[in-house]
Amino acid sequence: MTSDIHCVSSALASIKGIDYLSCDSLSSKETLALLELASQLKRGERRIDLGNRILGLIFNKASTRTRVSFQVAIARLGGQTVDLNPKISQLGRGEEIKDTARVLSRFCDVLAIRTYGQDEIDEYAHWASIPVINALTDLEHPCQALADFLTLQEAFGKDLTGLTLAYVGDGNNVAHSLMICGALLGVNVYIATPKGFEPNQNILFKANNLASSYGAKIQVFNDPFEAVRGANALYTDVWASMGQENEQKLRSQAFSGFCLDQKLLNEADKKAIVLHCLPAHREEEITTEVLEGNASRIFDQAENRLHVQQSLLAATLGGL
Ligand code: CP
Ligand code: NVA
């Protein structure tokens, strides 16, 4: 065990001080080491005390899991959170990101930011002198993907190469991060969306490039049955993400046939697991039967947000 701990710590040394803006901010090796540390922390094999480090949270969008799991994660590392709620800070009155980022770098040790455009978080990272973590943008949700692949490891073992994860629904931020992180870990990621809701082409290009280096396949389908056939994990997310609420009705029509139900699950591998990042809309993108069924690992997946983010904070703050 001591040598495991030593290996993980040395593999994570390169992460100290980095920004985690996209799943490809980490290499394949670093991602695996981060998951290993998360699993050690979860099993209680490892305790890390970083001293009194301060995590600043800037959330321009609602959150339950990400906000709470980050707060608990830094508390378990001996640190504290400052919640920089944009509604009661000068951010809400239009103070520029470049000024906010430089000022907060004088008070905090790390920032976790949930916002709309990826360009906003990139700008924070450019101006901040402390690590910036993407807590969800319209383009990516990389912390979620870390928790998702830890959940896959718990179900299928540490080596995920050759497994297939099929995502059914909107080609959104969650799908994008699954494609990139899956490619890094050698997992085939099949995405089934209605026509017009496919993933971003640049992300697809990036994921395909990575996948070719790690022997994985990233494929986009418009037929959910084709995507899920024989898959080891089925995944879905809401059809209208935060900020798209006015499209809810239009999307409900466009996505008919893309509900993750028992019929789709029957097409997957017999031992397939079901994942959803939550929050879920029951009987829309997933049936209650599947969400609450035996194949569901959805609440383990939610718990794993805590462990991967604790691991990420410890590594970026360099406390290993
Ligand atoms: N899955 C997820 O990010 O949940 P929250 O929006 O509640 O943080
Ligand atoms: N795709 C969803 C994920 C929520 C965790 C959204 O962006 O709202």
Side-chain angles (χ1 to χ4, degrees):
M1 191 159 82
T2 320
S3 75
D4 272 6
I5 289 176
H6 180 72
C7 287
V8 167
S9 298
S10 66
L12 289 176
S14 50
I15 298 183
K16 183 177 173 186
I18 71 153
D19 301 310
Y20 189 57
L21 305 178
S22 156
C23 286
D24 75 346
S25 300
L26 297 180
S27 67
S28 172
K29 197 173 150 211
E30 289 165 341
T31 305
L32 283 167
L34 205 74
L35 295 181
E36 182 54 36
L37 176 60
S39 147
Q40 290 171 359
L41 288 163
K42 182 172 183 177
R43 293 195 303 263
E45 287 171 16
R46 185 114 189 229
R47 276 178 205 285
I48 300 170
D49 188 349
L50 298 177
N52 194 14
R53 311 300 285 276
I54 306 296
L55 165 68
L57 296 183
I58 303 174
F59 276 47
N60 292 330
K61 290 179 159 192
S63 169
T64 298
R65 278 145 290 273
T66 310
R67 178 189 290 282
V68 176
S69 54
F70 264 116
Q71 286 179 316
V72 175
I74 195 75
R76 288 197 178 174
L77 293 167
Q80 294 185 50
T81 310
V82 179
D83 189 350
L84 300 147
N85 181 342
K87 286 202 184 96
I88 54 164
S89 69
Q90 299 290 7
L91 276 168
R93 296 179 58 241
E95 184 165 10
E96 292 190 28
I97 288 178
K98 63 179 174 211
D99 295 346
T100 308
R102 281 178 289 179
V103 170
L104 294 179
S105 299
R106 307 287 179 109
F107 302 141
C108 300
D109 298 291
V110 54
L111 294 175
I113 302 177
R114 170 168 288 198
T115 190
Y116 292 85
Q118 185 76 19
D119 53 331
E120 288 173 60
I121 201 157
D122 290 345
E123 194 179 349
Y124 272 107
H126 176 78
W127 290 100
S129 55
I130 55 176
V132 172
I133 297 175
N134 181 347
L136 181 146
T137 61
D138 290 346
L139 198 66
E140 274 213 54
H141 197 1
C143 296
Q144 180 67 53
L146 291 174
D148 303 339
F149 286 103
L150 178 62
T151 313
L152 248 78
Q153 284 187 329
E154 290 171 346
F156 299 111
K158 301 270 175 201
D159 182 4
L160 299 177
T161 53
L163 292 181
T164 298
L165 180 150
Y167 172 99
V168 177
D170 185 23
N172 63 13
N173 45 8
V174 168
H176 293 159
S177 290
L178 287 169
M179 289 158 66
I180 300 174
C181 201
L184 281 174
L185 299 176
V187 176
N188 305 315
V189 180
Y190 296 167
I191 306 283
T193 76
K195 282 204 169 68
F197 296 91
E198 289 89 354
N200 173 296
Q201 284 302 306
N202 294 334
I203 298 274
L204 186 59
F205 182 74
K206 197 195 266 197
N208 264 318
N209 272 344
L210 285 170
S212 62
S213 306
Y214 296 103
K217 241 185 347 191
I218 311 294
Q219 248 181 292
V220 179
F221 300 82
N222 294 124
D223 176 353
F225 283 93
E226 256 187 82
V228 304
R229 202 157 294 134
N232 306 99
L234 301 192
Y235 197 122
T236 191
D237 182 18
V238 290
W239 292 337
S241 285
M242 286 180 270
Q244 300 171 330
E245 288 82 0
N246 57 350
E247 295 175 24
Q248 184 78 37
K249 212 167 145 206
L250 175 148
R251 284 174 175 256
S252 294
Q253 284 158 10
F255 283 79
S256 98
F258 285 78
C259 174
L260 181 41
D261 59 10
Q262 194 58 46
K263 242 164 71 191
L264 271 185
L265 183 54
N266 290 344
E267 294 295 311
D269 186 78
K270 276 193 180 57
K271 293 189 180 141
I273 63 166
V274 169
L275 301 175
H276 188 311
C277 57
L278 298 177
H281 292 166
R282 287 172 167 78
E283 312 310 329
E284 241 178 71
E285 77 275 2
I286 189 165
T287 59
T288 303
E289 182 186 16
V290 170
L291 191 153
E292 304 286 359
N294 289 336
S296 170
R297 298 289 179 277
I298 291 171
F299 293 97
D300 294 331
Q301 178 189 5
E303 177 189 333
N304 285 339
R305 296 296 305 279
L306 167 63
H307 307 298
V308 297
Q309 286 157 205
Q310 195 178 340
S311 169
L312 181 63
L313 287 169
T316 52
L317 288 168
L320 304 172

